[in-house]
Amino acid sequence: MKSVILACLAAVAIAAPQFVQPPNQVAILRDDRQDLGNGAFAYDFEAENGIVESRRGFSGSQGQTNMEGSFRFLLPDGTIAEVRYVADENGFRAESPLIPTPHPLPAHAIEQIRFAEEQRARGITFNDY
């Protein structure tokens, strides 16, 4: 009988809710926000874990808010990753060594493109049949 009671107590102890440690909290070192009016704004943010963001907004030619800024963060190997971007009438453009770029065209393809542009400039066209 004692062994049954002991087994029941062990089962209750195992089934008891486990206390989960809260996720790591990160201190915010800087959070500056300014609304300058007419769609213009400034935003700067920095956290103790290395995340930094800076963004500026200003009125665009078609009534939209254009933006430019950057953000950076630490990669697992300890290096800093940074992305700079612009968003305006011409779309969103980002620059970073982390963003993959297409392979360069081979020389013969570049020559074919140049030759086709030269023919087009002289008015030479080809009909599709």
Side-chain angles (χ1 to χ4, degrees):
M1 179 71 164
K2 290 181 183 180
S3 61
V4 171
I5 293 174
L6 188 58
C8 289
L9 286 175
V12 168
I14 292 172
Q18 302 296 314
F19 291 103
V20 178
Q21 193 169 15
N24 292 338
Q25 295 185 3
V26 176
I28 305 302
L29 303 177
R30 184 170 44 123
D31 188 356
D32 298 327
R33 302 166 190 246
Q34 297 176 352
D35 182 355
L36 306 173
N38 274 347
F41 67 89
Y43 172 69
D44 292 293
F45 173 86
E46 183 176 358
E48 72 176 345
N49 64 357
I51 296 174
V52 177
E53 182 179 359
S54 177
R55 188 181 327 160
R56 303 287 177 260
F58 47 93
S59 295
S61 64
Q62 300 172 8
Q64 80 283 1
T65 297
N66 292 341
M67 288 186 266
E68 60 184 34
S70 66
F71 59 90
R72 67 178 188 230
F73 53 93
L74 290 175
L75 294 171
D77 67 359
T79 60
I80 297 174
E82 183 169 13
V83 177
R84 296 186 176 279
Y85 61 89
V86 173
D88 59 14
E89 294 87 354
N90 299 315
F92 179 81
R93 298 172 311 283
E95 295 178 358
S96 172
L98 299 172
I99 299 173
T101 57
H103 294 288
L105 291 173
H108 70 277
I110 294 171
E111 175 57 25
Q112 288 176 332
I113 293 169
R114 186 204 60 76
F115 184 66
E117 288 172 350
E118 181 183 301
Q119 288 180 325
R120 193 174 305 116
R122 291 190 301 175
I124 299 172
T125 59
F126 297 92
N127 294 330
D128 293 329
Y129 293 103

